[in-house]
Structure formats: structure tokens, C-alpha cells
Amino acid sequence: MSNATDLLPPIPSDIAATTGPQIIGTLINWALYGVLSVQTYVYYLNFPDDNIWNKLLVYGSYIVEVVQTAMTAADLCFWFASGFGNMNHLGNVNISPVDTPILCGIIAAVVQCFFAYRIYNLRRSLLWVSVLIVLTSIVQTVGAFGVGYRAFKLQEYVDFHENVIFPQSFDVCYSFYLEIEV
């Protein structure tokens, strides 16, 4: 009679090529989160009289980034702690479709729309530039939601190459997980 570990796929010899990008990407995310924390604190110290909308934008973006960083940490824990040695865990998307495309798409759209607003305020003759930025931001955000939704439906990184709705966007994610297939 075999035990449960015999049923798991074997760990490939080049496991670092599969797991390295996940770990390094998360560490870079945490480092950038630290930079953002310092920037938010500097904003708090230097602009106490800023209008309420600017404060809501800065602090709201920071809170969304806190959530995104915590979700990324939960993904890392899922892949490397609770799923230690289980190659099937590495191939599961867990909650990464929310913390990567969706939350990043929302944060990017908010910041881009803010800068479009600033461009319009500084140079009203460039209204068309502001409108173009906002429209591009909306399309980008819709795409982020679409990719996140589709990733949740697929649930496995190895299935990304079979996707017919957003094939190019999934090819980027799938290329990191080619080694997981058994």
C-alpha cells in the first residue's frame, strides 16, 4: 500500500527556475511596499493641509497596497509553507488573480486618472491627452478584471496556455510555470 506522498508529482531538479520568480517577485513587492510606506509617511508630515480628496487618494491607495501585499504574502505561504513539497500547490493560482492583476489594475487606474486630472488642470488645451489617458486606464482596468476572472476560472497555471479569451496575457504567467507539468 502506498502513502499519500507517493501520489504527489516528483520535485523537478530545476525547481529553482519554477519557484525563484515567485519568491523574488514577492521580495521585490515587499521592498517597494517599504518605499511606499516611507513616501506615505513623508506625505503625511509635509502636506497636513492638503485637500481631503488628495488625502483620500494617497491613503486609499496605500490601504489597497497594504491589502495587496498581505494577499501576496498569503499566496507565498500557500505555495511554500502549507504546500511544501507538493508540486500541485505550486501550480494552483490560489488568490493571486486578485492580488496581482485586479488590485494592481485598480491602483494603476486610480493613479493614472489622477495624473490625467492634473494634466487637465495644468494645461486645459491638452484635454485630449487627459481623455486618452482615462480611456486607456479604463481599458486596462477592464482587462485586469478579465484576466483575474479567467485565472480564477482556470485555477491552474498550466491551463493558461489553453485559454482562448486572453491568450497573450496568460502566456506571460504560463511561461514561469512550464516546469510544473507532469
PDB file of all heavy atoms in Angstrom, residues 12-45:
ATOM      1  N   PRO A  12      10.974  18.517  -9.478  1.00  0.00           N
ATOM      2  CA  PRO A  12      11.962  18.505 -10.560  1.00  0.00           C
ATOM      3  C   PRO A  12      13.326  19.006 -10.086  1.00  0.00           C
ATOM      4  O   PRO A  12      13.427  19.730  -9.097  1.00  0.00           O
ATOM      5  CB  PRO A  12      11.361  19.459 -11.604  1.00  0.00           C
ATOM      6  CG  PRO A  12      10.405  20.298 -10.858  1.00  0.00           C
ATOM      7  CD  PRO A  12       9.928  19.498  -9.685  1.00  0.00           C
ATOM      8  N   SER A  13      14.364  18.628 -10.816  1.00  0.00           N
ATOM      9  CA  SER A  13      15.719  19.020 -10.427  1.00  0.00           C
ATOM     10  C   SER A  13      15.949  20.525 -10.572  1.00  0.00           C
ATOM     11  O   SER A  13      16.778  21.095  -9.876  1.00  0.00           O
ATOM     12  CB  SER A  13      16.749  18.257 -11.255  1.00  0.00           C
ATOM     13  OG  SER A  13      16.561  18.549 -12.628  1.00  0.00           O
ATOM     14  N   ASP A  14      15.213  21.168 -11.465  1.00  0.00           N
ATOM     15  CA  ASP A  14      15.364  22.622 -11.661  1.00  0.00           C
ATOM     16  C   ASP A  14      14.231  23.390 -10.984  1.00  0.00           C
ATOM     17  O   ASP A  14      13.684  24.325 -11.548  1.00  0.00           O
ATOM     18  CB  ASP A  14      15.450  22.955 -13.143  1.00  0.00           C
ATOM     19  CG  ASP A  14      14.201  22.560 -13.895  1.00  0.00           C
ATOM     20  OD1 ASP A  14      13.407  21.760 -13.355  1.00  0.00           O
ATOM     21  OD2 ASP A  14      14.006  23.054 -15.021  1.00  0.00           O
ATOM     22  N   ILE A  15      13.918  23.014  -9.773  1.00  0.00           N
ATOM     23  CA  ILE A  15      12.822  23.632  -9.025  1.00  0.00           C
ATOM     24  C   ILE A  15      13.047  25.131  -8.823  1.00  0.00           C
ATOM     25  O   ILE A  15      12.104  25.911  -8.787  1.00  0.00           O
ATOM     26  CB  ILE A  15      12.596  22.921  -7.665  1.00  0.00           C
ATOM     27  CG1 ILE A  15      11.323  23.436  -6.974  1.00  0.00           C
ATOM     28  CG2 ILE A  15      13.792  23.079  -6.752  1.00  0.00           C
ATOM     29  CD1 ILE A  15      10.059  23.039  -7.637  1.00  0.00           C
ATOM     30  N   ALA A  16      14.286  25.552  -8.748  1.00  0.00           N
ATOM     31  CA  ALA A  16      14.582  26.979  -8.544  1.00  0.00           C
ATOM     32  C   ALA A  16      14.092  27.823  -9.710  1.00  0.00           C
ATOM     33  O   ALA A  16      13.686  28.970  -9.527  1.00  0.00           O
ATOM     34  CB  ALA A  16      16.070  27.185  -8.324  1.00  0.00           C
ATOM     35  N   ALA A  17      14.103  27.272 -10.909  1.00  0.00           N
ATOM     36  CA  ALA A  17      13.612  28.019 -12.072  1.00  0.00           C
ATOM     37  C   ALA A  17      12.105  28.239 -11.984  1.00  0.00           C
ATOM     38  O   ALA A  17      11.582  29.214 -12.526  1.00  0.00           O
ATOM     39  CB  ALA A  17      13.951  27.270 -13.362  1.00  0.00           C
ATOM     40  N   THR A  18      11.416  27.363 -11.292  1.00  0.00           N
ATOM     41  CA  THR A  18       9.968  27.495 -11.134  1.00  0.00           C
ATOM     42  C   THR A  18       9.613  28.370  -9.943  1.00  0.00           C
ATOM     43  O   THR A  18       8.737  29.226 -10.038  1.00  0.00           O
ATOM     44  CB  THR A  18       9.334  26.099 -10.938  1.00  0.00           C
ATOM     45  OG1 THR A  18       9.682  25.294 -12.055  1.00  0.00           O
ATOM     46  CG2 THR A  18       7.835  26.195 -10.825  1.00  0.00           C
ATOM     47  N   THR A  19      10.297  28.178  -8.842  1.00  0.00           N
ATOM     48  CA  THR A  19       9.935  28.877  -7.614  1.00  0.00           C
ATOM     49  C   THR A  19      10.642  30.213  -7.438  1.00  0.00           C
ATOM     50  O   THR A  19      10.144  31.088  -6.737  1.00  0.00           O
ATOM     51  CB  THR A  19      10.246  27.998  -6.392  1.00  0.00           C
ATOM     52  OG1 THR A  19      11.641  27.663  -6.413  1.00  0.00           O
ATOM     53  CG2 THR A  19       9.418  26.732  -6.405  1.00  0.00           C
ATOM     54  N   GLY A  20      11.778  30.377  -8.060  1.00  0.00           N
ATOM     55  CA  GLY A  20      12.554  31.610  -7.924  1.00  0.00           C
ATOM     56  C   GLY A  20      11.783  32.874  -8.279  1.00  0.00           C
ATOM     57  O   GLY A  20      11.782  33.840  -7.506  1.00  0.00           O
ATOM     58  N   PRO A  21      11.126  32.910  -9.440  1.00  0.00           N
ATOM     59  CA  PRO A  21      10.391  34.129  -9.794  1.00  0.00           C
ATOM     60  C   PRO A  21       9.302  34.497  -8.782  1.00  0.00           C
ATOM     61  O   PRO A  21       9.086  35.675  -8.505  1.00  0.00           O
ATOM     62  CB  PRO A  21       9.786  33.792 -11.155  1.00  0.00           C
ATOM     63  CG  PRO A  21      10.685  32.769 -11.732  1.00  0.00           C
ATOM     64  CD  PRO A  21      11.156  31.958 -10.561  1.00  0.00           C
ATOM     65  N   GLN A  22       8.628  33.502  -8.221  1.00  0.00           N
ATOM     66  CA  GLN A  22       7.597  33.792  -7.227  1.00  0.00           C
ATOM     67  C   GLN A  22       8.205  34.418  -5.975  1.00  0.00           C
ATOM     68  O   GLN A  22       7.678  35.402  -5.454  1.00  0.00           O
ATOM     69  CB  GLN A  22       6.847  32.514  -6.841  1.00  0.00           C
ATOM     70  CG  GLN A  22       6.000  31.948  -7.947  1.00  0.00           C
ATOM     71  CD  GLN A  22       5.446  30.587  -7.582  1.00  0.00           C
ATOM     72  OE1 GLN A  22       6.167  29.717  -7.105  1.00  0.00           O
ATOM     73  NE2 GLN A  22       4.162  30.407  -7.822  1.00  0.00           N
ATOM     74  N   ILE A  23       9.287  33.849  -5.503  1.00  0.00           N
ATOM     75  CA  ILE A  23       9.910  34.361  -4.285  1.00  0.00           C
ATOM     76  C   ILE A  23      10.543  35.726  -4.522  1.00  0.00           C
ATOM     77  O   ILE A  23      10.341  36.663  -3.747  1.00  0.00           O
ATOM     78  CB  ILE A  23      10.947  33.356  -3.748  1.00  0.00           C
ATOM     79  CG1 ILE A  23      10.239  32.079  -3.292  1.00  0.00           C
ATOM     80  CG2 ILE A  23      11.758  33.953  -2.609  1.00  0.00           C
ATOM     81  CD1 ILE A  23      11.166  30.946  -2.934  1.00  0.00           C
ATOM     82  N   ILE A  24      11.299  35.858  -5.595  1.00  0.00           N
ATOM     83  CA  ILE A  24      11.966  37.133  -5.885  1.00  0.00           C
ATOM     84  C   ILE A  24      10.934  38.234  -6.142  1.00  0.00           C
ATOM     85  O   ILE A  24      11.084  39.355  -5.652  1.00  0.00           O
ATOM     86  CB  ILE A  24      12.944  36.980  -7.061  1.00  0.00           C
ATOM     87  CG1 ILE A  24      14.118  36.112  -6.625  1.00  0.00           C
ATOM     88  CG2 ILE A  24      13.433  38.335  -7.558  1.00  0.00           C
ATOM     89  CD1 ILE A  24      15.034  35.682  -7.744  1.00  0.00           C
ATOM     90  N   GLY A  25       9.888  37.916  -6.880  1.00  0.00           N
ATOM     91  CA  GLY A  25       8.837  38.905  -7.137  1.00  0.00           C
ATOM     92  C   GLY A  25       8.167  39.374  -5.851  1.00  0.00           C
ATOM     93  O   GLY A  25       7.903  40.565  -5.677  1.00  0.00           O
ATOM     94  N   THR A  26       7.925  38.451  -4.934  1.00  0.00           N
ATOM     95  CA  THR A  26       7.309  38.822  -3.663  1.00  0.00           C
ATOM     96  C   THR A  26       8.263  39.661  -2.815  1.00  0.00           C
ATOM     97  O   THR A  26       7.840  40.638  -2.187  1.00  0.00           O
ATOM     98  CB  THR A  26       6.871  37.560  -2.895  1.00  0.00           C
ATOM     99  OG1 THR A  26       5.973  36.814  -3.718  1.00  0.00           O
ATOM    100  CG2 THR A  26       6.169  37.919  -1.603  1.00  0.00           C
ATOM    101  N   LEU A  27       9.529  39.312  -2.807  1.00  0.00           N
ATOM    102  CA  LEU A  27      10.501  40.109  -2.054  1.00  0.00           C
ATOM    103  C   LEU A  27      10.624  41.522  -2.616  1.00  0.00           C
ATOM    104  O   LEU A  27      10.701  42.503  -1.858  1.00  0.00           O
ATOM    105  CB  LEU A  27      11.868  39.417  -2.052  1.00  0.00           C
ATOM    106  CG  LEU A  27      11.956  38.117  -1.243  1.00  0.00           C
ATOM    107  CD1 LEU A  27      13.303  37.459  -1.450  1.00  0.00           C
ATOM    108  CD2 LEU A  27      11.678  38.374   0.220  1.00  0.00           C
ATOM    109  N   ILE A  28      10.615  41.659  -3.930  1.00  0.00           N
ATOM    110  CA  ILE A  28      10.646  42.989  -4.550  1.00  0.00           C
ATOM    111  C   ILE A  28       9.381  43.756  -4.199  1.00  0.00           C
ATOM    112  O   ILE A  28       9.427  44.958  -3.900  1.00  0.00           O
ATOM    113  CB  ILE A  28      10.846  42.877  -6.071  1.00  0.00           C
ATOM    114  CG1 ILE A  28      12.258  42.397  -6.376  1.00  0.00           C
ATOM    115  CG2 ILE A  28      10.573  44.215  -6.760  1.00  0.00           C
ATOM    116  CD1 ILE A  28      12.492  42.038  -7.828  1.00  0.00           C
ATOM    117  N   ASN A  29       8.240  43.070  -4.187  1.00  0.00           N
ATOM    118  CA  ASN A  29       6.977  43.709  -3.804  1.00  0.00           C
ATOM    119  C   ASN A  29       7.054  44.244  -2.379  1.00  0.00           C
ATOM    120  O   ASN A  29       6.628  45.367  -2.095  1.00  0.00           O
ATOM    121  CB  ASN A  29       5.823  42.718  -3.951  1.00  0.00           C
ATOM    122  CG  ASN A  29       4.482  43.342  -3.639  1.00  0.00           C
ATOM    123  OD1 ASN A  29       4.213  44.483  -3.996  1.00  0.00           O
ATOM    124  ND2 ASN A  29       3.630  42.589  -2.976  1.00  0.00           N
ATOM    125  N   TRP A  30       7.604  43.454  -1.473  1.00  0.00           N
ATOM    126  CA  TRP A  30       7.732  43.902  -0.087  1.00  0.00           C
ATOM    127  C   TRP A  30       8.691  45.078   0.023  1.00  0.00           C
ATOM    128  O   TRP A  30       8.464  46.000   0.807  1.00  0.00           O
ATOM    129  CB  TRP A  30       8.184  42.759   0.815  1.00  0.00           C
ATOM    130  CG  TRP A  30       7.127  41.718   1.037  1.00  0.00           C
ATOM    131  CD1 TRP A  30       5.785  41.840   0.807  1.00  0.00           C
ATOM    132  CD2 TRP A  30       7.316  40.401   1.521  1.00  0.00           C
ATOM    133  NE1 TRP A  30       5.135  40.684   1.115  1.00  0.00           N
ATOM    134  CE2 TRP A  30       6.058  39.766   1.568  1.00  0.00           C
ATOM    135  CE3 TRP A  30       8.427  39.682   1.912  1.00  0.00           C
ATOM    136  CZ2 TRP A  30       5.879  38.462   1.991  1.00  0.00           C
ATOM    137  CZ3 TRP A  30       8.252  38.378   2.333  1.00  0.00           C
ATOM    138  CH2 TRP A  30       6.995  37.788   2.381  1.00  0.00           C
ATOM    139  N   ALA A  31       9.776  45.060  -0.723  1.00  0.00           N
ATOM    140  CA  ALA A  31      10.723  46.185  -0.699  1.00  0.00           C
ATOM    141  C   ALA A  31      10.050  47.462  -1.202  1.00  0.00           C
ATOM    142  O   ALA A  31      10.193  48.535  -0.601  1.00  0.00           O
ATOM    143  CB  ALA A  31      11.950  45.865  -1.543  1.00  0.00           C
ATOM    144  N   LEU A  32       9.307  47.346  -2.289  1.00  0.00           N
ATOM    145  CA  LEU A  32       8.601  48.515  -2.812  1.00  0.00           C
ATOM    146  C   LEU A  32       7.491  48.973  -1.871  1.00  0.00           C
ATOM    147  O   LEU A  32       7.189  50.165  -1.789  1.00  0.00           O
ATOM    148  CB  LEU A  32       8.049  48.220  -4.208  1.00  0.00           C
ATOM    149  CG  LEU A  32       9.108  48.031  -5.287  1.00  0.00           C
ATOM    150  CD1 LEU A  32       8.465  47.580  -6.591  1.00  0.00           C
ATOM    151  CD2 LEU A  32       9.908  49.304  -5.489  1.00  0.00           C
ATOM    152  N   TYR A  33       6.900  48.035  -1.150  1.00  0.00           N
ATOM    153  CA  TYR A  33       5.913  48.400  -0.141  1.00  0.00           C
ATOM    154  C   TYR A  33       6.575  49.239   0.961  1.00  0.00           C
ATOM    155  O   TYR A  33       5.982  50.206   1.453  1.00  0.00           O
ATOM    156  CB  TYR A  33       5.264  47.152   0.451  1.00  0.00           C
ATOM    157  CG  TYR A  33       4.405  47.431   1.646  1.00  0.00           C
ATOM    158  CD1 TYR A  33       3.193  48.103   1.514  1.00  0.00           C
ATOM    159  CD2 TYR A  33       4.815  47.052   2.912  1.00  0.00           C
ATOM    160  CE1 TYR A  33       2.409  48.374   2.621  1.00  0.00           C
ATOM    161  CE2 TYR A  33       4.038  47.321   4.018  1.00  0.00           C
ATOM    162  CZ  TYR A  33       2.835  47.977   3.870  1.00  0.00           C
ATOM    163  OH  TYR A  33       2.068  48.247   4.964  1.00  0.00           O
ATOM    164  N   GLY A  34       7.787  48.884   1.329  1.00  0.00           N
ATOM    165  CA  GLY A  34       8.526  49.681   2.310  1.00  0.00           C
ATOM    166  C   GLY A  34       8.795  51.087   1.801  1.00  0.00           C
ATOM    167  O   GLY A  34       8.643  52.069   2.538  1.00  0.00           O
ATOM    168  N   VAL A  35       9.177  51.211   0.542  1.00  0.00           N
ATOM    169  CA  VAL A  35       9.395  52.531  -0.063  1.00  0.00           C
ATOM    170  C   VAL A  35       8.095  53.326  -0.055  1.00  0.00           C
ATOM    171  O   VAL A  35       8.080  54.515   0.293  1.00  0.00           O
ATOM    172  CB  VAL A  35       9.946  52.384  -1.499  1.00  0.00           C
ATOM    173  CG1 VAL A  35       9.974  53.709  -2.218  1.00  0.00           C
ATOM    174  CG2 VAL A  35      11.335  51.760  -1.473  1.00  0.00           C
ATOM    175  N   LEU A  36       6.992  52.674  -0.424  1.00  0.00           N
ATOM    176  CA  LEU A  36       5.695  53.351  -0.423  1.00  0.00           C
ATOM    177  C   LEU A  36       5.296  53.792   0.981  1.00  0.00           C
ATOM    178  O   LEU A  36       4.718  54.875   1.159  1.00  0.00           O
ATOM    179  CB  LEU A  36       4.616  52.446  -1.017  1.00  0.00           C
ATOM    180  CG  LEU A  36       3.212  53.045  -1.081  1.00  0.00           C
ATOM    181  CD1 LEU A  36       3.177  54.223  -2.056  1.00  0.00           C
ATOM    182  CD2 LEU A  36       2.205  51.989  -1.487  1.00  0.00           C
ATOM    183  N   SER A  37       5.604  52.984   1.970  1.00  0.00           N
ATOM    184  CA  SER A  37       5.291  53.352   3.357  1.00  0.00           C
ATOM    185  C   SER A  37       6.031  54.619   3.761  1.00  0.00           C
ATOM    186  O   SER A  37       5.452  55.513   4.388  1.00  0.00           O
ATOM    187  CB  SER A  37       5.655  52.209   4.306  1.00  0.00           C
ATOM    188  OG  SER A  37       4.879  51.073   4.035  1.00  0.00           O
ATOM    189  N   VAL A  38       7.309  54.700   3.399  1.00  0.00           N
ATOM    190  CA  VAL A  38       8.085  55.906   3.698  1.00  0.00           C
ATOM    191  C   VAL A  38       7.511  57.109   2.953  1.00  0.00           C
ATOM    192  O   VAL A  38       7.364  58.192   3.526  1.00  0.00           O
ATOM    193  CB  VAL A  38       9.581  55.689   3.371  1.00  0.00           C
ATOM    194  CG1 VAL A  38      10.356  56.989   3.466  1.00  0.00           C
ATOM    195  CG2 VAL A  38      10.181  54.635   4.297  1.00  0.00           C
ATOM    196  N   GLN A  39       7.165  56.933   1.685  1.00  0.00           N
ATOM    197  CA  GLN A  39       6.598  58.031   0.909  1.00  0.00           C
ATOM    198  C   GLN A  39       5.271  58.508   1.502  1.00  0.00           C
ATOM    199  O   GLN A  39       4.994  59.713   1.547  1.00  0.00           O
ATOM    200  CB  GLN A  39       6.384  57.608  -0.547  1.00  0.00           C
ATOM    201  CG  GLN A  39       7.655  57.456  -1.332  1.00  0.00           C
ATOM    202  CD  GLN A  39       7.392  56.943  -2.736  1.00  0.00           C
ATOM    203  OE1 GLN A  39       6.430  56.229  -2.997  1.00  0.00           O
ATOM    204  NE2 GLN A  39       8.280  57.311  -3.644  1.00  0.00           N
ATOM    205  N   THR A  40       4.460  57.576   1.947  1.00  0.00           N
ATOM    206  CA  THR A  40       3.176  57.942   2.559  1.00  0.00           C
ATOM    207  C   THR A  40       3.412  58.706   3.857  1.00  0.00           C
ATOM    208  O   THR A  40       2.712  59.696   4.139  1.00  0.00           O
ATOM    209  CB  THR A  40       2.322  56.689   2.814  1.00  0.00           C
ATOM    210  OG1 THR A  40       2.170  55.984   1.583  1.00  0.00           O
ATOM    211  CG2 THR A  40       0.959  57.048   3.363  1.00  0.00           C
ATOM    212  N   TYR A  41       4.373  58.287   4.640  1.00  0.00           N
ATOM    213  CA  TYR A  41       4.693  58.988   5.882  1.00  0.00           C
ATOM    214  C   TYR A  41       5.231  60.392   5.600  1.00  0.00           C
ATOM    215  O   TYR A  41       4.859  61.357   6.275  1.00  0.00           O
ATOM    216  CB  TYR A  41       5.699  58.175   6.701  1.00  0.00           C
ATOM    217  CG  TYR A  41       6.043  58.819   8.012  1.00  0.00           C
ATOM    218  CD1 TYR A  41       5.090  58.968   9.018  1.00  0.00           C
ATOM    219  CD2 TYR A  41       7.328  59.283   8.254  1.00  0.00           C
ATOM    220  CE1 TYR A  41       5.405  59.566  10.221  1.00  0.00           C
ATOM    221  CE2 TYR A  41       7.658  59.875   9.462  1.00  0.00           C
ATOM    222  CZ  TYR A  41       6.694  60.019  10.434  1.00  0.00           C
ATOM    223  OH  TYR A  41       7.000  60.617  11.630  1.00  0.00           O
ATOM    224  N   VAL A  42       6.082  60.517   4.598  1.00  0.00           N
ATOM    225  CA  VAL A  42       6.603  61.835   4.216  1.00  0.00           C
ATOM    226  C   VAL A  42       5.461  62.738   3.750  1.00  0.00           C
ATOM    227  O   VAL A  42       5.419  63.922   4.084  1.00  0.00           O
ATOM    228  CB  VAL A  42       7.707  61.696   3.138  1.00  0.00           C
ATOM    229  CG1 VAL A  42       8.051  63.032   2.516  1.00  0.00           C
ATOM    230  CG2 VAL A  42       8.939  61.048   3.727  1.00  0.00           C
ATOM    231  N   TYR A  43       4.515  62.182   2.999  1.00  0.00           N
ATOM    232  CA  TYR A  43       3.343  62.950   2.577  1.00  0.00           C
ATOM    233  C   TYR A  43       2.560  63.422   3.806  1.00  0.00           C
ATOM    234  O   TYR A  43       2.134  64.578   3.885  1.00  0.00           O
ATOM    235  CB  TYR A  43       2.444  62.111   1.664  1.00  0.00           C
ATOM    236  CG  TYR A  43       1.141  62.782   1.342  1.00  0.00           C
ATOM    237  CD1 TYR A  43       1.060  63.733   0.329  1.00  0.00           C
ATOM    238  CD2 TYR A  43      -0.016  62.481   2.052  1.00  0.00           C
ATOM    239  CE1 TYR A  43      -0.138  64.372   0.037  1.00  0.00           C
ATOM    240  CE2 TYR A  43      -1.210  63.108   1.775  1.00  0.00           C
ATOM    241  CZ  TYR A  43      -1.271  64.047   0.768  1.00  0.00           C
ATOM    242  OH  TYR A  43      -2.454  64.677   0.492  1.00  0.00           O
ATOM    243  N   TYR A  44       2.358  62.520   4.760  1.00  0.00           N
ATOM    244  CA  TYR A  44       1.632  62.852   5.983  1.00  0.00           C
ATOM    245  C   TYR A  44       2.303  64.006   6.733  1.00  0.00           C
ATOM    246  O   TYR A  44       1.629  64.917   7.227  1.00  0.00           O
ATOM    247  CB  TYR A  44       1.549  61.608   6.874  1.00  0.00           C
ATOM    248  CG  TYR A  44       1.061  61.883   8.266  1.00  0.00           C
ATOM    249  CD1 TYR A  44      -0.291  62.090   8.521  1.00  0.00           C
ATOM    250  CD2 TYR A  44       1.959  61.945   9.340  1.00  0.00           C
ATOM    251  CE1 TYR A  44      -0.735  62.347   9.810  1.00  0.00           C
ATOM    252  CE2 TYR A  44       1.519  62.196  10.618  1.00  0.00           C
ATOM    253  CZ  TYR A  44       0.171  62.399  10.849  1.00  0.00           C
ATOM    254  OH  TYR A  44      -0.267  62.660  12.117  1.00  0.00           O
ATOM    255  N   LEU A  45       3.633  63.993   6.795  1.00  0.00           N
ATOM    256  CA  LEU A  45       4.365  65.038   7.511  1.00  0.00           C
ATOM    257  C   LEU A  45       4.370  66.369   6.767  1.00  0.00           C
ATOM    258  O   LEU A  45       4.254  67.430   7.386  1.00  0.00           O
ATOM    259  CB  LEU A  45       5.817  64.613   7.759  1.00  0.00           C
ATOM    260  CG  LEU A  45       6.054  63.473   8.736  1.00  0.00           C
ATOM    261  CD1 LEU A  45       7.541  63.142   8.794  1.00  0.00           C
ATOM    262  CD2 LEU A  45       5.524  63.815  10.113  1.00  0.00           C
TER     263      LEU A  45
END
